[in-house]
Amino acid sequence: MQELQNYIESSQKVVIIPHKNPDGDALGSCLGWQIFLTKLGKETTVVSPNDYPKFLKWMPQQEHIINAEATPDQASALIGDADLIFCLDFNDLGRIDDLGELVQSSSASVVMIDHHENPKDFADLMISKPEMGSTSEMIYDCIMAIDSSLLDPAMASCLYTGIMTDTGSFRFPSTTPATHRAVATLMEAGAVHSEIHQNIYDSYTFDRLRLLGIALSNMKKLETLPVVYIHLSADELESVNYQKGYTEGFVNYGLRLVGIQLAVIMIDHPQEGKVKMSFRSKGNFPAHHFAAAHFNGGGHLNAAGGVSFDSLEKTVETFLHAIENFAHDFS
Ligand code: 5GP
Ligand code: MN
């Protein structure tokens, strides 16, 4: 914490970067931290590798985020000028695409604050806590340690959002008494939990709910293993005018089935040349190891992601073979 404070005190131009396709925790931690550092008198900008879903576009200060995909020159100038760069909610420069090279070649100090396993050694200061449920809770701890009097409603809303989304609304095993204490303090500081919940979860368009219907009717259950999987084709996405973020959370539905230990979703994005995969598990099934071993991915024990560069059909086939290799990991 002292080292972190030294980095902050000795810098003026700060850039904060979330991972690509930022989720509630990535944006919540970045925006909460930005508001805090701005209050400390720092010139602070959040630079996102790309765009993010509509259901996050109400978050305080999100309108000032620089989208590196839309305005690469601006993003590269900011990173080039920075004297301090924060990498939040990721631990591998591969998770921020082209920004990775800019961070590496920048003369700025780099601080990583993250809760994923197996951090890569690219930062000057690495705060890595895989046992934490969210990066936003880590940022909360940093703010409380540095100057808790600066906590305000905007910061509180951002951090609440990140903690809520990454703990599955406080139900994943990573949720601790400290998480609930943090959330209580954030509510006292002005986070309106019911509004935040509504903004994130009750903001479906009709098309998005129809896509959930398609996903659920596509769900298949394995005969011999406690596994369900969903696939969504490009045509199916197109039939509901797919937009970024539409499939967020769909994978979790599989775990509502009694006895199921692994739920998988495979979503075809042929224009990007890939099938995006998400894995969610219950108990000890290592979703992150499975994602890393077979689908160029990673994440956490119970929530991981990955990617396949084959067709959707071939990806399903590969998955069905791969899961047999992990049969002994089910309890
Ligand atoms: P999601 O399924 O929501 O995309 O991701 C679930 C978790 O896995 C998140 O913690 C995310 O950071 C991680 N994750 C998702 N995609 C990838 C990936 O391609 N590589 C790695 N290493 N982690 C991923
Ligand atoms: Mn996270």
Side-chain angles (χ1 to χ4, degrees), residues 25 89 115 135 166:
D25 186 33
D89 202 37
H115 69 133
T135 301
D166 254 31

Short mmCIF file of all heavy atoms in Angstrom, two decimals, residues 25 89 115 135 166, ligand 2:
data_model
loop_
_atom_site.label_atom_id
_atom_site.label_comp_id
_atom_site.label_asym_id
_atom_site.label_seq_id
_atom_site.Cartn_x
_atom_site.Cartn_y
_atom_site.Cartn_z
N ASP A 25 -17.18 -5.33 -13.52
CA ASP A 25 -16.06 -5.19 -12.59
C ASP A 25 -14.91 -4.39 -13.21
O ASP A 25 -14.31 -3.54 -12.54
CB ASP A 25 -15.56 -6.58 -12.15
CG ASP A 25 -14.50 -6.49 -11.08
OD1 ASP A 25 -14.55 -5.56 -10.25
OD2 ASP A 25 -13.59 -7.36 -11.08
N ASP A 89 -8.18 -5.34 -13.42
CA ASP A 89 -9.04 -6.50 -13.73
C ASP A 89 -8.49 -7.37 -14.86
O ASP A 89 -9.24 -8.10 -15.49
CB ASP A 89 -10.48 -6.04 -14.02
CG ASP A 89 -11.49 -7.18 -13.82
OD1 ASP A 89 -11.30 -7.99 -12.88
OD2 ASP A 89 -12.45 -7.27 -14.61
N HIS A 115 -7.50 -9.72 -9.79
CA HIS A 115 -7.88 -10.90 -9.00
C HIS A 115 -7.92 -12.20 -9.81
O HIS A 115 -8.60 -13.14 -9.40
CB HIS A 115 -9.22 -10.66 -8.29
CG HIS A 115 -10.41 -10.60 -9.22
ND1 HIS A 115 -11.57 -11.29 -8.96
CD2 HIS A 115 -10.61 -9.94 -10.38
CE1 HIS A 115 -12.45 -11.05 -9.94
NE2 HIS A 115 -11.90 -10.24 -10.81
N THR A 135 -12.12 -7.10 -8.66
CA THR A 135 -11.11 -6.04 -8.61
C THR A 135 -11.70 -4.81 -7.92
O THR A 135 -10.99 -4.08 -7.23
CB THR A 135 -10.63 -5.69 -10.03
OG1 THR A 135 -10.08 -6.86 -10.63
CG2 THR A 135 -9.58 -4.59 -10.01
N ASP A 166 -19.39 -9.20 -10.33
CA ASP A 166 -18.38 -10.27 -10.29
C ASP A 166 -18.64 -11.30 -9.20
O ASP A 166 -18.02 -12.36 -9.21
CB ASP A 166 -16.97 -9.68 -10.14
CG ASP A 166 -16.19 -9.76 -11.45
OD1 ASP A 166 -16.84 -9.69 -12.51
OD2 ASP A 166 -14.95 -9.90 -11.42
MN MN B 2 -13.19 -9.03 -12.34
#
